[in-house]
């Protein structure tokens, strides 16, 4: 046997590794209220060196104090970044139209970040002990802040004519992303707990209310309620669109959109403009009933249009359609036919299309960045990038989703339940990826959960004799997270199940999982062998249910939309 000799440097290195490992372990068991050094606090973040440049030096504080400090610094940075974007836009004569479009997207996202950070800091600064469910709300906002920043950064990087903007904004984007990541990590370490409590459910006995709405005002013109409004009540109650019919949902106002002039408005945008601003869910929904027809509009539900509900005459009866695409000069973010930001949005019985076609590249039908938003019995029709589940918490029930490349993508915490997902025939040379989840940080509480859905081929893909390969998803970002559970997967899905993005990117950091699926495409014996791919059990799958993943028991009942909180 040969004799092994170890140098003094070897033992020193070993000592350092053990010391660092022990420090990590010790931090994990230190309560958030205990004081720790800056070094110890920063080791729990994805960017330790950057963290140390931000936090107060030469003084020990507890993790929650560090978290408050970092969120306050993040708010200041977000305001400065918005100012930088505005300076570029004030000198837009020196910029290409493509660069201006990107900056306008960044301005919208930066404004949201300021709102989210202000709300988060206000919550953290008001109490020393934050209940676990309120902590989940803040974690959701801090997760969305990173998503918003990443969206802006992505658009600047892919827009060739935005080089002037890219040179001036790359460093602030990078530094702010690190700062937001540090804030999220410190917050998660200090406030988010494994065991989640139960939030008080909405009071029972909500009724459809008309008494407060003798007149609906649009601008300065009073519009009296027509007989049609009463018909909506009868129509909704008779069809039992929602769980206990609409009579179980609190509605403050009802307006009708009808292209024949028999309603309150002839366009959806006018009805949205008439909705009150910043309402609370306890005041009820502003309900827009959209009579069947094809509406060629681009509709945006702004952040101040909260708790707005749209009900149509049914899939392929009430149709909202547009054709903006990257191929025709739009940004992906702003190509949406329907863009939603206002919290508490609900849509029922509506089809939303982007008809740009497979040759035009990214073309979004719906972009959803609205917290606590719900789509029920809706259809999303497009090709590449059909449904952009951008951020925050979302729920989709009994919807139809059609597309080709990455046609369910984004970084929301989202559950699809009892939906039909149809892969279409893409343009020549392309393959289909159903999902492209965009989680960029291990502390984000985001991901895509697909439960009791049907994964099938659309008619045009069937007609092509399946010359296109179709996959369950591919990793758009480093910590991409997608779960299929209790769903029917037809034979269109390749035996390997999942596709790479490029090379070995994210294969060890992603989280892709399957649980108790069925159908000819569900066999997992020939699935990918990536470190991040898992066939999970019921205990793990339960983490991705409505009740646990998006805390749906706290907010979906108010919408009246049917759902089940756990596994089947």
């Amino acid at each position: 046997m040969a004799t092994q000799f170890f140098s003094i440097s070897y033992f020193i290195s070993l000592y350092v590794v053990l010391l660092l490992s022990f420090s990590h372990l010790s931090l994990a068991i230190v309560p958030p209220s205990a004081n720790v050094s800056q070094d110890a606090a920063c080791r729990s973040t994805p960017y330790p060196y950057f963290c140390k440049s931000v936090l107060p030096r030469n003084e020990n504080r507890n993790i929650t104090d560090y978290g408050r400090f970092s969120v306050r610094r993040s708010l200041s940075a977000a305001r400065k970044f918005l100012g930088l974007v505005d300076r570029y836009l004030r000198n837009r004569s020196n910029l290409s139209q493509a660069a201006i479009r990107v900056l306008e997207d960044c301005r919208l996202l930066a404004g949201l970040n300021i709102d989210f950070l202000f709300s988060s800091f206000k919550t953290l600064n008001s109490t020393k002990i934050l209940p676990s469910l309120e902590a989940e709300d803040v974690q959701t906002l801090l997760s969305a802040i990173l998503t918003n920043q990443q969206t802006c950064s992505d658009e600047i990087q892919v827009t060739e004519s935005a080089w002037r903007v890219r040179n001036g904004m790359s460093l602030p984007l990078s530094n702010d992303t690190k700062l937001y990541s540090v804030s999220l990590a410190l917050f998660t370490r200090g406030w988010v707990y494994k065991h989640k409590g139960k939030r008080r459910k909405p009071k029972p006995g909500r009724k459809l209310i008309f008494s407060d709405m003798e007149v609906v005002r649009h601008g300065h013109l009073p519009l009296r309620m027509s007989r049609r409004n009463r018909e909506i009540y009868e129509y909704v109650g008779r069809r039992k669109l929602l769980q206990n019919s609409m009579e179980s949902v609190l509605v403050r106002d009802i307006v009708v959109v009808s292209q024949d002039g028999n309603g309150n408005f002839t366009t959806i945008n006018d009805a949205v403009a008439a909705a009150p601003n910043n309402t609370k869910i306890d005041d009820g929904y502003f309900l827009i009933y959209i009579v069947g027809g094809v509406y060629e509009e681009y509709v945006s539900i702004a952040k101040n249009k909260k708790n707005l509900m749209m009900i149509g005459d049914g899939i392929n009866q009430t149709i909202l359609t547009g054709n903006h695409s990257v191929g025709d000069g739009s940004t992906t973010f702003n190509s949406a036919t329907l863009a939603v930001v206002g919290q508490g949005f609900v849509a029922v019985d509506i089809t939303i299309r982007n008809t740009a076609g497979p040759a035009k590249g990214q073309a979004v039908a719906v972009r959803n960045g609205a917290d606590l938003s719900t789509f029920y019995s809706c259809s999303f029709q497009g090709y590449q990038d059909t449904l952009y589940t951008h951020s925050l918490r979302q729920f989709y029930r009994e919807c139809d989703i059609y597309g080709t490349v990455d046609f369910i993508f984004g970084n929301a915490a989202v559950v699809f339940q009892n939906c039909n997902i149809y892969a279409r025939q893409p343009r020549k040379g392309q393959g289909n990826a159903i999902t492209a989840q965009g989680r960029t940080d291990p502390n984000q509480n985001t991901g895509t959960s697909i439960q009791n859905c049907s994964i099938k081929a659309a008619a045009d893909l069937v007609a092509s004799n399946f010359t296109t390969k179709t996959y369950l998803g591919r990793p758009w970002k480093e910590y991409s997270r997608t779960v299929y559970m209790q769903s029917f997967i037809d034979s269109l899905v390749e035996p390997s199940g999942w596709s790479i993005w490029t090379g070995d990117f994210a294969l060890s950091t992603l989280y892709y999982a399957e649980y108790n699926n069925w159908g000819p495409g569900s066999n997992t014996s020939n699935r990918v062998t990536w470190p991040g791919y898992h066939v999970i059990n019921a205990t793990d799958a339960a983490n991705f249910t409505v009740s646990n993943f998006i805390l749906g028991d706290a907010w979906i009942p108010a919408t009246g939309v049917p759902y089940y909180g756990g596994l089947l």
Side-chain angles (χ1 to χ4, degrees):
M1 178 181 290
T3 303
Q4 291 184 318
F5 294 94
F6 299 96
S7 66
I8 293 176
S9 62
Y10 169 82
F11 288 105
I12 292 174
S13 299
L14 180 61
Y15 172 76
V16 170
V17 169
L18 291 172
L19 182 62
L20 289 174
S21 299
F22 179 76
S23 297
H24 254 307
L25 179 63
S26 61
L27 181 61
I29 61 176
V30 170
S33 58
N35 285 352
V36 296
S37 68
Q38 180 203 55
D39 283 352
C42 287
R43 277 197 295 273
S44 67
T45 73
Y47 301 99
Y49 291 107
F50 184 85
C51 173
K52 287 191 287 186
S53 72
V54 171
L55 297 186
R57 298 180 181 180
N58 303 321
E59 54 181 286
N60 288 358
R61 299 190 181 192
N62 60 47
I63 293 292
T64 54
D65 285 341
Y66 283 130
R68 289 189 187 94
F69 181 86
S70 183
V71 169
R72 185 168 68 247
R73 286 289 300 268
S74 295
L75 177 58
S76 176
R79 287 169 172 159
K80 289 180 180 178
F81 184 75
L82 179 59
L84 176 62
V85 173
D86 283 339
R87 284 198 296 275
Y88 274 107
L89 285 171
R90 282 196 295 270
N91 296 296
R92 63 180 62 207
S93 59
N94 297 322
L95 300 173
S96 67
Q97 191 59 43
I100 292 170
R101 291 191 185 104
V102 169
L103 285 166
E104 288 172 342
D105 291 348
C106 289
R107 178 167 58 184
L108 185 154
L109 293 163
L112 291 173
N113 279 356
I114 291 172
D115 292 344
F116 295 166
L117 283 162
F118 180 78
S119 175
S120 298
F121 181 70
K122 185 178 178 181
T123 299
L124 299 184
N125 213 35
S126 64
T127 179
K128 292 184 178 180
I129 300 175
L130 192 63
S132 59
L133 281 166
E134 280 71 12
E136 190 85 11
D137 292 341
V138 175
Q139 187 185 17
T140 296
L141 294 179
L142 295 180
S143 296
I145 289 160
L146 272 170
T147 301
N148 291 342
Q149 194 77 353
Q150 186 66 50
T151 302
C152 174
S153 179
D154 285 349
E155 289 201 351
I156 288 175
Q157 294 302 320
V158 302
T159 305
E160 292 182 7
S161 61
W163 61 268
R164 189 189 305 273
V165 173
R166 190 180 307 126
N167 290 341
M169 294 180 67
S170 291
L171 185 59
L173 277 166
S174 175
N175 286 341
D176 289 355
T177 297
K178 292 175 182 177
L179 178 57
Y180 300 158
S181 179
V182 166
S183 295
L184 177 58
L186 292 172
F187 174 79
T188 302
R189 170 70 185 89
W191 277 279
V192 178
Y193 309 102
K194 292 183 179 179
H195 302 290
K196 299 175 182 178
K198 292 185 177 180
R199 188 174 302 179
R200 178 179 60 84
K201 292 184 178 181
K203 294 180 181 180
R206 292 172 177 267
K207 297 294 182 182
L208 192 64
I209 294 176
F210 296 93
S211 58
D212 293 331
M213 195 196 134
E214 291 303 321
V215 175
V216 178
R217 294 191 176 275
H218 175 50
H220 298 292
L221 300 176
L223 299 173
R224 292 198 172 276
M225 285 184 62
S226 67
R227 183 172 58 85
R228 186 77 174 176
N229 293 119
R230 294 289 178 181
E231 292 173 359
I232 295 172
Y233 169 76
E234 295 172 1
Y235 162 89
V236 172
R238 184 172 63 252
R239 289 187 59 196
K240 296 187 182 297
L241 287 175
L242 306 180
Q243 190 173 21
N244 298 311
S245 88
M246 284 293 294
E247 291 183 71
S248 65
V249 176
L250 183 63
V251 175
R252 59 180 296 151
D253 295 326
I254 297 178
V255 295
V256 179
V257 177
S258 181
Q259 292 173 321
D260 62 8
N262 287 326
N264 301 101
F265 305 99
T266 57
T267 70
I268 300 170
N269 277 307
D270 284 346
V272 171
N277 296 332
N278 298 313
T279 61
K280 297 179 180 179
I281 187 60
D282 287 341
D283 296 329
Y285 289 100
F286 184 87
L287 194 157
I288 301 174
Y289 168 56
I290 308 170
V291 176
V294 178
Y295 295 81
E296 297 181 4
E297 301 183 51
Y298 296 93
V299 177
S300 179
I301 311 301
K303 65 183 181 181
N304 62 338
K305 299 297 182 181
K306 298 179 179 179
N307 301 306
L308 190 152
M309 179 179 285
M310 289 183 176
I311 297 180
D313 270 338
I315 289 176
N316 293 332
Q317 299 300 314
T318 296
I319 301 169
L320 176 61
T321 186
N323 63 0
H324 287 172
S325 69
V326 169
D328 284 331
S330 177
T331 63
T332 300
F333 185 82
N334 208 30
S335 66
T337 304
L338 171 65
V340 186
V341 178
Q343 179 176 307
F345 178 80
V346 180
V348 181
D349 272 355
I350 300 173
T351 290
I352 307 101
R353 293 175 177 165
N354 190 312
T355 61
K360 293 293 186 177
Q362 297 91 332
V364 175
V366 171
R367 187 193 81 231
N368 187 3
D371 200 18
L372 313 180
S373 54
T374 306
F375 285 80
Y376 176 42
S377 188
C378 290
S379 181
F380 310 93
Q381 300 174 7
Y383 290 87
Q384 183 170 350
D385 290 2
T386 302
L387 177 55
Y388 195 173
T389 57
H390 183 260
S391 56
L392 301 165
R393 291 166 289 195
Q394 308 178 15
F395 179 59
Y396 297 76
R397 171 83 178 200
E398 297 174 29
C399 292
D400 297 337
I401 307 150
Y402 296 82
T404 57
V405 181
D406 307 333
F407 64 95
I408 300 173
F409 77 112
N411 195 26
V414 55
V415 176
F416 294 88
Q417 199 173 81
N418 294 26
C419 293
N420 297 308
I421 299 173
Y422 297 102
R424 306 176 88 169
Q425 178 66 18
R427 72 185 184 201
K428 187 176 181 180
Q430 286 185 324
N432 287 334
I434 294 170
T435 64
Q437 207 282 326
R439 187 164 169 254
T440 60
D441 191 286
N443 291 302
Q444 287 179 309
N445 60 355
T446 55
T448 298
S449 175
I450 296 173
Q451 183 185 21
N452 197 34
C453 294
S454 292
I455 316 302
K456 299 179 180 179
D460 58 349
L461 186 59
V462 174
S464 74
N465 293 318
F466 297 95
T467 56
T468 295
K469 292 184 177 181
T470 297
Y471 298 92
L472 297 174
R474 60 179 184 153
W476 181 29
K477 300 297 180 183
E478 189 172 4
Y479 293 93
S480 182
R481 181 160 63 175
T482 302
V483 177
Y484 285 79
M485 53 191 190
Q486 302 177 312
S487 293
F488 172 79
I489 302 177
D490 213 342
S491 57
L492 76 159
V493 172
E494 291 292 302
S496 59
W498 306 81
S499 174
I500 63 169
W501 187 268
T502 180
D504 62 355
F505 170 74
L507 301 188
S508 60
T509 52
L510 60 78
Y511 184 91
Y512 287 166
E514 296 180 58
Y515 167 71
N516 203 25
N517 298 307
W518 60 289
S522 66
N523 191 326
T524 60
S525 60
N526 291 312
R527 288 294 197 250
V528 294
T529 57
W530 307 337
Y533 171 74
H534 310 274
V535 177
I536 57 177
N537 58 26
T539 300
D540 292 332
N543 293 322
F544 298 97
T545 58
V546 167
S547 294
N548 291 329
F549 194 50
I550 58 173
L551 304 183
D553 295 332
W555 56 276
I556 296 176
T559 70
V561 172
Y563 76 99
Y564 37 88
L567 297 172
L568 296 175

